[in-house]
């Protein structure tokens, strides 16, 4: 009976450790997703700014020719 109780306790402890790491992975995945979304917004903003600059340079170059 003692070994059965030890086995149950160890298995419960193992499940608790697995649950802890599952929550930790979930939180880190959400954080990574937020960082990816923020970086995507920043890249899109920079691309729009670059496009506006390219248009103004093209207009300036067209005036010179």
């Amino acid at each position: 009976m003692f070994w059965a109780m030890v086995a149950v306790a160890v298995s419960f402890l193992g499940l608790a450790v697995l649950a802890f790491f599952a929550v930790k992975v979930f939180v880190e995945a959400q954080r990574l997703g937020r960082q990816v979304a923020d970086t995507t917004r920043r890249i899109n903003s920079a691309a729009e700014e670059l496009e506006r600059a390219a248009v103004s340079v093209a207009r300036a170059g067209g005036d010179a020719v």
Side-chain angles (χ1 to χ4, degrees):
M1 185 69 178
F2 172 75
W3 292 111
M5 293 293 214
V6 170
V8 168
V10 167
S11 63
F12 178 76
L13 182 63
L15 285 176
V17 168
L18 286 176
F20 170 77
F21 284 119
V23 169
K24 193 169 182 177
V25 166
F26 178 74
V27 168
E28 290 300 318
Q30 281 189 328
R31 188 174 68 103
L32 178 62
R34 284 192 300 270
Q35 286 180 346
V36 167
D38 183 47
T39 302
T40 301
R41 280 192 296 271
R42 291 174 62 192
I43 288 172
N44 287 337
S45 174
E48 290 171 3
E49 186 177 330
L50 181 62
E51 187 176 344
R52 285 191 299 269
V55 167
S56 65
V57 167
R59 285 184 185 147
D63 292 342
V65 173

